[in-house]
Amino acid sequence: MKIRKEQTVCEWIGVNPNEPLAGTKLGIALSTLGKEPINGLRHKEENGTNGWYIWCGEELSENPDFFSPLHVEHVSKYLPQILEYLALPAGYRFLIDSNNYEDVWFDGELLNA
C-alpha cells in the first residue's frame, strides 16, 4: 500500500507523530547500505537513544556489532528516504523499497524489549 503524497506517514497510519529529539542516536547497520528493502523498527526511547534501528536487506543479524550509533541529524546523509518514517512512535515498524513498496505496522513486542 502506498500513501498519498498529501499525507504524512503518521496521518496515513492515524497516529500522533513522535519526532526523535535532536541529538539522540539511533542504530544503523552501515554495512547493509545499498541493499533492499530498507527496514526500521522503534523501541522505547532510553539512555540518549530514540529507539530506532535501521538496516537494509532481508537479514537482521544477531551480531552485536551489526548496528552502529548515529545521531538522528545525520540520517539524511545515508538514507534520506526514511526521514518521514522516523516520526512514527515507539512500537512501529516500516519496510520500503525503491519500487514504491511501503508497509508500516504496529508491533507491540517492541515495547517490551
Side-chain angles (χ1 to χ4, degrees), residues 79-91:
L79 293 168
Q81 62 272 51
I82 72 164
L83 292 176
E84 67 177 308
Y85 298 92
L86 298 182
L88 290 165

Side-chain angles (χ1 to χ4, degrees), residues 29-36 54-57 59 66:
L30 296 171
S31 66
T32 67
L33 292 177
K35 296 179 182 178
E36 288 199 339
I54 310 295
W55 73 99
C56 303
E59 300 296 321
F66 186 62

Side-chain angles (χ1 to χ4, degrees), residues 6 32 36 41 58 65-66 73 96 98 104 107-108 110:
E6 60 270 8
T32 67
E36 288 199 339
L41 60 82
E58 299 289 335
D65 297 326
F66 186 62
E73 292 86 357
I96 61 172
S98 61
V104 177
D107 180 351
L110 296 174

Side-chain angles (χ1 to χ4, degrees), residues 28-48:
I28 187 167
L30 296 171
S31 66
T32 67
L33 292 177
K35 296 179 182 178
E36 288 199 339
I38 301 171
N39 302 272
L41 60 82
R42 191 172 192 182
H43 293 285
K44 293 179 186 175
E45 301 171 6
E46 66 177 358
N47 301 324

Side-chain angles (χ1 to χ4, degrees), residues 2-13 15-20 42 52 54 72 75-76 79-89 92 94 96 100-102 104:
K2 184 71 178 155
I3 65 169
R4 297 187 318 259
K5 283 300 171 192
E6 60 270 8
Q7 287 182 310
T8 67
V9 172
C10 289
E11 288 170 338
W12 173 52
I13 299 299
V15 298
N16 291 325
N18 183 10
E19 297 277 346
R42 191 172 192 182
W52 278 110
I54 310 295
V72 70
V75 170
S76 62
L79 293 168
Q81 62 272 51
I82 72 164
L83 292 176
E84 67 177 308
Y85 298 92
L86 298 182
L88 290 165
Y92 276 86
F94 70 84
I96 61 172
N100 289 323
Y101 181 81
E102 179 176 45
V104 177

